[in-house]
Amino acid sequence: MSRPTTSKYPMIPVDDALGIVLSKTKEPIGIETISMEQDGIETFLDRIIAEDATAKEPLPPFRASIMDGYAVIASDGIGTYDVIASITAGVDVPKDTSNNQYDIKPGQVSYITTGAPVPPSADAVIRIEDTENVDNNLNKVKINVAVKSGKWIRPIGSDVQSGQIVVEKNTILSSAEIGLLATVGATSVRVYKIPTVGIISTGDELLEPWERELTNGKIRDSNRFMLLAAAKKSGANILNLGIVQDKNVDLKKMLENAIEKSDVVITSGGVSMGSLDLIKDLLEELGTVHFGRMCMKPGKPTTFASINKNGREKLFFGLPGNPVSSLVTYYLLVDPAIKALSGIPINKCHHPRINTRINMPLKLDPVRPEYHRSMLTWRDTVGTSGEFIADSTGIQRSSRLLSMRSSSALLCLPKGNTTLNPGDVVPALLIGSNPIPPPIHVTPHLDAKLTSKVETSSKDVNLSIGNDDEKTKSEEDDDIPVCACCGVKKTNLVIDDTPPPRYGGINIENSSTVRIGVITVSDRASKGIYPDQGGPEVLRCINDNIKSLWESEYRIIPDEQRTIESTICDLSDRVKCNIIITTGGTGPAERDLTPDATMNVCGRLFPGFGERMRQISLQYVPTAILSRQVAGTRGKTFIINLPGSPHSVRQILPSIFDAMIHISFIVNNSVKIIRKENTIETGVNVIDGDNSNDNIFEHLFVIDQANLDWIESKKRGGGNMTEHEIIDDLFQLIFVDIKNNASVQDTIFTVPRGKGRKKKKTRILLRLSDYNYQWILKMNQKYDLPNVDKTMRIILDYVLENEE
Ligand code: AMP
Ligand code: MG
């Protein structure tokens, strides 16, 4: 006997499959009458009404007061009047004027409460707030305002007219609809019957979920309970029909029984190409198979059949056994079908479809369109109408049910040979009832072009000390350029006005996606009156420095301590950021509160970061001593404060990256952040030889006398440059040369040198740019060298020997 290796069923597109399914669900399964008094409100909730509900009387049925106050004759106007009656809600006020104790004449008023009938001669109500008491007996009242006729009165039928349809046929009865039915007295209504859905799991390997021991080859049945829950959510009555073994006789008996009892039958398993996948053949025997394969991932073998039983056409869905495939295909086909059979109009049975930006690269399947499970968030972006952002639920294997957990959307990915990039927009179907978390507020760096670009001036604002008001002063200088689109004056920095990257990096094995929270703390940036520059600069620095896949949550918040604390906690505890970088609010002004907030929410502090950051900034401004940045950990998140100025961000961040990466690993060793090898080359102007913007530090190195001699020899012939300048220049050239020659780096750091040389050690203080020093550290690590002195000796030996 040979086994078939190809399926006889063509792979049809999902839309066609859904079309076929819905063509079989045109008629709801039936109609019944339900009563509020007898069946209770639970019976009404979520039912689909099968007739229009109309109002038999107008609402309000009498002229009703809208306010607590006095019923008056409007033309009487301001003045003091006799209060002749008190009409509270519920009082039966006669409709005619004769013998009416509540009715008024000119010069009289009646006290009246909200919802009470207005007496026939009154044509307006005066609010209690617009009156004054004149005596303690409440027999008189002073009316302080004049109103027009009709004021504060709801005319008869002004809410609902008599004969008006209040709930239309085919509407889902939710709270407002149930309220409307009650108000018009439609307490007994015709609704569509609820379809009964029988659910069966098939497979010899399946055990009940409460089975403690899993003997070899067995697994617990997850699909049945998952699908029962899903069908309940879709509005069905559910029937748990148990597990059936992969045996023709058992299966056939069970399917016949299920068809008898249910309007819709769902099985999972047994529809693929295995020897015991028997469902398709049985369905051919029992009824008509409309399709046996769909061109999609996951869920290709999904099968749909209809079977005539007791004069009715019953629907049968043979879903695949893999849990994800069965749930995804349930959403795509079965959920709309149940809704249609329940009486919801077919055009309202589809899942809402939206467009979303993806937050990660997604490789397309070359053959089948894919439904990628994702979690959505809404990003409120200032200046745009906002957008959905989709995060993947991780590995999409069809057996990995975890990929469905917390999933709020199925991304509809086309087939293709490419990879979609983070930031690309794809359609998505909203599924399940997983909530979409509250919006992320984002103010992007303005796309505005500056009217002119300015060079860095000597009066450098590279540390945001002081509050936003103080900043305003410097921005009001006339020589500072003005943003062409918003008129905001810029600081004296050459501003990168491209939108900052929000995610990046590449997929590296054993390196998970790094989540980075970026919080700009600034009153004015949060109001949108000042374009945020610190946050975007942090994002650019991250992009320049991190090689692993990374994604960011970027928020702009005011200088409010509570807001800063709760934002840090949210990004740490809920969003689970590995690193949170704040920018702004670190100075000495009253509203500079970022360090205070950070200290309050951190479990441990790392003072070294603050010291290092101030040390760097002190190279530029003496007032950096006043900056109060702190760093610490909260759970598995490392949090660090940077000043608000983009210039300071750029000066500080690259030199603390390695320590940040290290501490992130220590507190959460599942995260290994890989730094970009060419990080230094992306730094400020080092490669092109202009280090004017770079931080220069003195470092003490222990080198060989031969190295020192070589340096000394270079000092000759420097024209009128100072000794320092000559050496700085020399080292700059050395580094440019070596770093640009990545291919020879291996040779430089692995070939032994200085053989036979007398290695007398000597100390030298060298001025190095921070980027170059960082590069030495990196080489030290990469080639596993004992210390930076050794690394420096190797570099110097290389240039010395290469020159000879
Ligand atoms: P099948 O569609 O029957 O070939 O099954 C495909 C895969 O899904 C196999 O690994 C089954 O063990 C698994 N599977 C089938 N039914 C269930 C179920 N009810 N619960 C969990 N896994 C299942
Ligand atoms: Mg099976």
Side-chain angles (χ1 to χ4, degrees), residues 252-265:
K252 189 170 178 188
K253 218 163 79 195
M254 190 51 168
L255 296 191
E256 279 174 330
N257 169 42
I259 291 157
E260 179 83 43
K261 288 181 178 160
S262 333
D263 302 301
V264 175
V265 179

Side-chain angles (χ1 to χ4, degrees), residues 36 70 75 99 159 311 380 420 453 510 711-712 731 771-772:
M36 260 186 219
Y70 292 88
S75 56
N99 271 342
D159 289 340
D380 258 348
L420 299 180
K453 297 238 173 187
N510 299 329
I711 294 170
E712 288 294 327
F731 274 87
Y771 288 106
N772 285 342

Side-chain angles (χ1 to χ4, degrees), residues 352-370:
R353 197 181 174 96
I354 52 133
N355 278 340
T356 176
R357 212 173 275 287
I358 53 171
N359 219 357
M360 60 276 150
L362 289 178
K363 193 170 183 319
L364 299 180
D365 184 281
V367 183
R368 285 177 288 158
E370 186 179 355

Side-chain angles (χ1 to χ4, degrees), residues 201-202 205-206 219-224 268-272 277 319-323:
S201 284
T202 73
E205 73 277 36
L206 301 179
I219 56 169
R220 294 191 188 93
D221 170 15
S222 59
N223 294 358
R224 195 161 30 110
S268 70
V271 284
S272 335
D277 289 330
L319 305 184
N322 269 314

Side-chain angles (χ1 to χ4, degrees), residues 16-263:
D16 291 3
L18 182 59
I20 294 171
V21 169
L22 292 181
S23 73
K24 298 277 167 200
T25 60
K26 286 190 180 133
E27 290 298 318
I29 50 162
I31 290 176
E32 62 188 345
T33 301
I34 54 171
S35 148
M36 260 186 219
E37 292 114 296
Q38 278 152 36
D39 304 315
I41 206 63
E42 298 86 345
T43 323
F44 274 62
L45 190 60
D46 293 333
R47 298 301 294 273
I48 321 298
I49 193 164
E51 60 188 354
D52 291 338
T54 41
K56 288 176 205 68
E57 314 99 349
L59 188 74
F62 49 86
R63 292 192 309 147
S65 174
I66 298 177
M67 288 289 171
D68 295 321
Y70 292 88
V72 300
I73 295 167
S75 56
D76 278 356
I78 293 169
T80 301
Y81 296 95
D82 290 335
V83 182
I84 59 116
S86 170
I87 312 169
T88 50
V91 166
D92 180 6
V93 177
K95 287 197 174 72
D96 48 14
T97 51
S98 60
N99 271 342
N100 188 337
Q101 63 177 106
Y102 300 103
D103 202 22
I104 55 174
K105 296 190 178 60
Q108 295 180 332
V109 301
S110 274
Y111 174 72
I112 194 163
T113 64
T114 306
V118 175
S121 302
D123 66 345
V125 169
I126 304 286
R127 300 182 307 171
I128 198 94
E129 302 93 302
D130 297 328
T131 66
E132 269 173 60
N133 292 331
V134 266
D135 59 18
N136 283 340
N137 301 331
L138 304 176
N139 290 334
K140 283 188 183 299
V141 69
K142 189 167 164 236
I143 305 287
N144 289 332
V145 298
V147 291
K148 284 196 182 134
S149 175
K151 188 73 182 171
W152 301 127
I153 294 177
R154 278 193 297 151
I156 294 169
S158 58
D159 289 340
V160 180
Q161 287 167 18
S162 176
Q164 186 179 343
I165 296 173
V166 289
V167 182
E168 274 174 9
K169 182 178 172 182
N170 294 115
T171 307
I172 302 177
L173 298 182
S174 205
S175 16
E177 291 75 18
I178 291 172
L180 282 163
L181 293 180
T183 203
V184 302
T187 54
S188 189
V189 292
R190 279 153 54 82
V191 292
Y192 292 108
K193 283 187 178 161
I194 299 175
T196 299
V197 176
I199 297 175
I200 306 169
S201 284
T202 73
D204 293 341
E205 73 277 36
L206 301 179
L207 298 178
E208 289 293 351
W210 40 86
E211 220 49 77
R212 296 238 163 267
E213 292 286 316
L214 290 182
T215 46
N216 205 14
K218 304 287 186 192
I219 56 169
R220 294 191 188 93
D221 170 15
S222 59
N223 294 358
R224 195 161 30 110
F225 296 87
M226 176 177 79
L227 294 169
L228 283 164
K232 184 82 195 158
K233 274 269 181 202
S234 303
N237 286 328
I238 49 176
L239 273 184
N240 178 351
L241 298 175
I243 300 170
V244 194
Q245 307 278 292
D246 292 318
K247 286 183 193 64
N248 239 325
V249 204
D250 294 3
L251 265 173
K252 189 170 178 188
K253 218 163 79 195
M254 190 51 168
L255 296 191
E256 279 174 330
N257 169 42
I259 291 157
E260 179 83 43
K261 288 181 178 160
S262 333
D263 302 301

